[in-house]
């Protein structure tokens, strides 16, 4: 296995699929772009809260590049399978600060369609929250569609006593106190 950046403990789904986790690095831009193009229209809509079909490729590349080069302005963790020496990205969770010195950051998560509902989101979001705490962050926040039961239920499970939802014009905002 190639050694790239920081690794985290692996996880086995109920279906016995082994999922690995590591920090995204500069070498991951192209696989991350491919990961986004493999998400279904619905998953992309839930993640980005808008139709993303017409977004130019260079914008997708720029976004992937940003996640892969966060340095001290956040953390992006990729979940992947590893078979026959090939990594396949199955999910990404990240938080991003506006400034390096910020103690709060915006977070988001997305799983490849075929890997949703297997407990990976729960494990990955927990990992992200623990890492944020370890890096000294105090609060994470995010927005989601009001109808996005998946992420709302997931947050309730991962941060049962330290989340706070507010409603805002068809969207929900959430704050997690770490
Ligand atoms: C939301 C998302 C990250 C959840 O990840 P996941 O791996 O599918 O969720 P998990 O299998 O880990 O489920 C965790 C818990 O949340 C609950 N949950 C997840 N999706 C749910 C749904 N659609 N309805 C009800 N509960 C749900 C599960 O019951 C589970 O509880 P349990 O651990 O007690 O069994 C994933 O479905 C996804 O990528 N969705 C599209 C993108 C998105 O909405 N991103 C969030 C916007 S930032």
């Amino acid at each position: 296995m190639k050694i790239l950046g920081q690794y985290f403990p692996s996880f086995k789904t109920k279906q016995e699929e082994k999922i690995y986790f590591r920090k995204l690095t500069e070498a991951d831009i192209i696989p991350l772009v491919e990961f986004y193009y493999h998400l279904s229209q619905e998953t992309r809509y839930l993640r980005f809260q808008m139709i993303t079909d017409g977004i130019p490729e260079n914008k997708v590349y720029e976004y992937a590049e940003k996640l892969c080069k966060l340095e001290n302005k956040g953390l992006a963790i990729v979940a992947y399978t590893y078979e026959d020496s090939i990594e396949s990205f199955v999910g990404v969770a990240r938080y991003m600060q506006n400034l390096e010195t910020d103690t709060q950051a915006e977070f988001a998560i997305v799983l490849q369609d075929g890997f949703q509902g297997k407990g990976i989101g729960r494990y990955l979001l927990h990992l992200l929250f623990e890492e944020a705490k370890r890096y000294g962050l105090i609060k994470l926040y995010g927005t989601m569609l009001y109808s996005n039961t998946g992420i709302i239920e997931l947050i309730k499970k991962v941060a049962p006593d330290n989340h706070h939802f507010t409603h805002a014009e068809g969207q929900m905002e959430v704050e997690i106190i770490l």
Side-chain angles (χ1 to χ4, degrees):
M1 187 184 294
K2 48 184 175 163
I3 303 295
L4 283 173
Q6 182 184 351
Y7 286 83
F8 302 100
S10 59
F11 166 83
K12 214 176 228 181
T13 66
K14 281 188 196 138
Q15 296 77 15
E16 298 284 311
E17 293 151 305
K18 199 160 181 192
I19 310 296
Y20 301 88
F21 302 86
R22 64 172 173 78
K23 201 174 153 177
L24 281 174
T25 73
E26 286 185 31
D28 294 317
I29 302 171
I30 298 296
L32 189 59
V33 168
E34 283 167 6
F35 168 81
Y36 283 121
Y37 280 117
H38 280 99
L39 298 173
S40 70
Q41 206 177 32
E42 190 191 348
T43 289
R44 272 189 275 137
Y45 185 64
L46 289 172
R47 164 62 191 87
F48 296 102
Q49 294 144 49
M50 60 179 179
I51 309 278
T52 53
D53 287 355
I55 292 194
E57 270 178 43
N58 65 319
K59 291 279 168 213
V60 179
Y61 184 93
E62 278 170 27
Y63 180 72
E65 187 177 32
K66 194 172 169 186
L67 284 201
C68 294
K69 294 182 177 177
L70 280 173
E71 295 179 351
N72 296 327
K73 284 177 75 180
L75 175 70
I77 302 174
V78 60
Y80 60 98
T81 58
Y82 186 74
E83 274 164 35
D84 301 328
S85 305
I86 296 171
E87 285 184 0
S88 302
F89 289 3
V90 301
V92 175
R94 56 84 174 154
Y95 65 78
M96 289 198 284
Q97 294 134 268
N98 288 323
L99 299 170
E100 270 182 39
T101 49
D102 283 349
T103 53
Q104 45 182 288
E106 202 234 332
F107 78 94
I109 178 168
V110 62
L111 269 284
Q112 202 60 256
D113 292 68
F115 286 83
Q116 293 176 13
K118 296 180 169 210
I120 303 167
R122 187 171 183 160
Y123 187 91
L124 181 56
L125 202 60
H126 175 75
L127 188 57
L128 189 80
F129 289 177
E130 287 302 305
E131 284 300 296
K133 199 156 55 172
R134 205 167 65 77
Y135 278 104
L137 270 76
I138 292 169
K139 186 165 87 180
L140 293 179
Y141 55 90
T143 54
M144 61 221 62
L145 292 175
Y146 186 71
S147 57
N148 193 343
T149 317
I151 186 68
I152 293 167
E153 290 305 312
L154 177 61
I155 289 167
K156 288 183 192 164
K157 298 271 165 80
V158 177
D161 307 316
N162 51 337
H163 68 266
H164 178 67
F165 287 107
T166 46
H167 298 229
E169 292 178 13
Q171 287 194 323
M172 298 274 273
E173 290 177 1
V174 70
E175 282 186 1
I176 313 287
I177 304 301
L178 296 166

